[in-house]
């Protein structure tokens, strides 16, 4: 299957700082990327859908100004957690969709906000 | 709203035995896809099996098979000949075709294989 990478795989930051997470499709062009959030022992919750060259579509209850998503190219989408707080600590997973509609998941990024 | 329900928070199975993980879904979409993913402690989501809403036959992938009952809106995963490495979280997911192919996940089932 296709490969999706995320960077960093884990990050620890101080409260009030911003953190950027990258999601890359390594061997295919992803017209759409999705960002999920997963709390410990819970399910993946879709945060937003990101289409290349356009604004992201956020799910209900997700703060657009808090979680900035940029999909600047067909192989890269970034999620920036602005002014992070301890409650933003979570496991963030991206997925990328090919033109064939298949979806491949990244390995996830574990964010800890102190 | 789309909803995926997994009623078994935790399951135990003896090594080499078969186990069924339950999944029901609720949608009014005529076309959709159903998936099962395995998530080990490392966190990566590993694709296991896919069933399209129009597929007539149940999907099979090696030791995994999907018991698809469309009228009952259920898509149970059957793992045959369980192995110790099967211990993980298992998520059922539905992909909506009409609106950008978003995935919606169930709450997951933690499977523990006992030697």
């Amino acid at each position: 299957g296709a490969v999706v990478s995320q960077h960093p795989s884990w990050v620890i930051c101080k409260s009030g700082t911003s953190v950027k997470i990258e999601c890359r499709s390594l061997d295919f062009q992803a017209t759409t990327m999705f960002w999920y959030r997963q709390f410990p022992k819970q399910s993946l919750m879709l945060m937003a859908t990101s289409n290349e060259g356009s604004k992201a579509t956020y799910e209900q209850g997700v703060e657009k100004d808090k979680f900035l998503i940029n999909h600047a190219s067909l192989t890269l989408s970034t999620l920036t957690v602005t002014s992070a707080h301890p409650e933003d600590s979570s496991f963030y997973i991206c997925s990328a969709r090919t033109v064939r509609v298949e979806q491949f998941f990244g390995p996830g990024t574990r964010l800890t906000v102190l | 709203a789309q909803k995926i329900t997994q009623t078994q928070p935790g399951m135990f199975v003896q090594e080499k035995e078969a186990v069924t993980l339950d999944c029901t879904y609720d949608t009014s979409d005529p076309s959709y896809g159903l998936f099962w993913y395995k998530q080990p402690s490392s966190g990566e989501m590993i694709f296991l099996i896919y069933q399209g809403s129009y597929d007539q036959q149940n999907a099979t992938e090696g030791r995994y098979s999907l018991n698809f009952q469309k009228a009952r809106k259920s898509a149970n995963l059957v793992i045959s000949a369980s192995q110790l490495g099967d211990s993980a979280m298992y998520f059922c997911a539905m992909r909506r075709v009409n609106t950008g192919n978003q995935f919606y996940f169930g709450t997951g089932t933690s499977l523990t294989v006992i030697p």
Side-chain angles (χ1 to χ4, degrees), chain B residues 69-90:
Chain B
Q69 298 187 43
K70 192 172 183 178
R72 296 179 60 185
K73 294 188 175 179
S74 73
N76 299 339
L77 176 70
V78 180
I79 305 175
S80 62
S82 297
Q83 301 171 358
L84 295 178
D86 293 336
S87 295
M89 283 291 292
Y90 288 80

Side-chain angles (χ1 to χ4, degrees), chain B residues 47-100:
Chain B
F47 165 76
L48 296 179
I49 196 166
Y50 165 78
Q51 179 87 41
S53 58
Y54 292 116
D55 293 344
Q56 296 293 317
Q57 294 193 332
N58 287 342
T60 59
E61 289 283 351
R63 294 187 298 112
Y64 305 107
S65 59
L66 199 152
N67 185 358
F68 181 46
Q69 298 187 43
K70 192 172 183 178
R72 296 179 60 185
K73 294 188 175 179
S74 73
N76 299 339
L77 176 70
V78 180
I79 305 175
S80 62
S82 297
Q83 301 171 358
L84 295 178
D86 293 336
S87 295
M89 283 291 292
Y90 288 80
F91 291 97
C92 178
M94 180 171 67
R95 181 181 70 195
R96 297 187 66 193
V97 175
N98 293 340
T99 56

Side-chain angles (χ1 to χ4, degrees), chain A residues 14-19 65-66 80-88 113:
Chain A
K14 292 182 179 180
S15 184
T17 61
S18 294
V19 175
D65 296 332
K66 176 76 171 174
T80 301
V81 183
T82 62
S83 187
H85 291 285
E87 57 266 28
D88 298 324
V113 184

Side-chain angles (χ1 to χ4, degrees), chain A residues 39-92:
Chain A
F39 290 108
K41 300 190 184 300
Q42 294 189 25
S43 185
L44 280 72
M45 298 299 296
L46 179 64
M47 298 175 65
T49 302
S50 166
N51 291 298
E52 186 265 337
S54 63
K55 290 184 178 180
T57 302
Y58 290 81
E59 294 296 298
Q60 191 173 5
V62 178
E63 299 177 59
K64 301 178 184 181
D65 296 332
K66 176 76 171 174
F67 300 100
L68 301 178
I69 292 173
N70 184 283
H71 194 159
S73 75
L74 286 172
T75 60
L76 173 64
S77 176
T78 59
L79 168 67
T80 301
V81 183
T82 62
S83 187
H85 291 285
E87 57 266 28
D88 298 324
S89 298
S90 188
F91 191 56
Y92 293 88

Side-chain angles (χ1 to χ4, degrees), chain A residues 90-110:
Chain A
S90 188
F91 191 56
Y92 293 88
I93 303 177
C94 74
S95 69
R97 182 170 77 89
T98 70
V99 293
R100 288 182 53 196
V101 186
E102 291 171 277
Q103 198 169 133
F104 299 94
F105 286 84
T109 297
R110 197 164 301 280

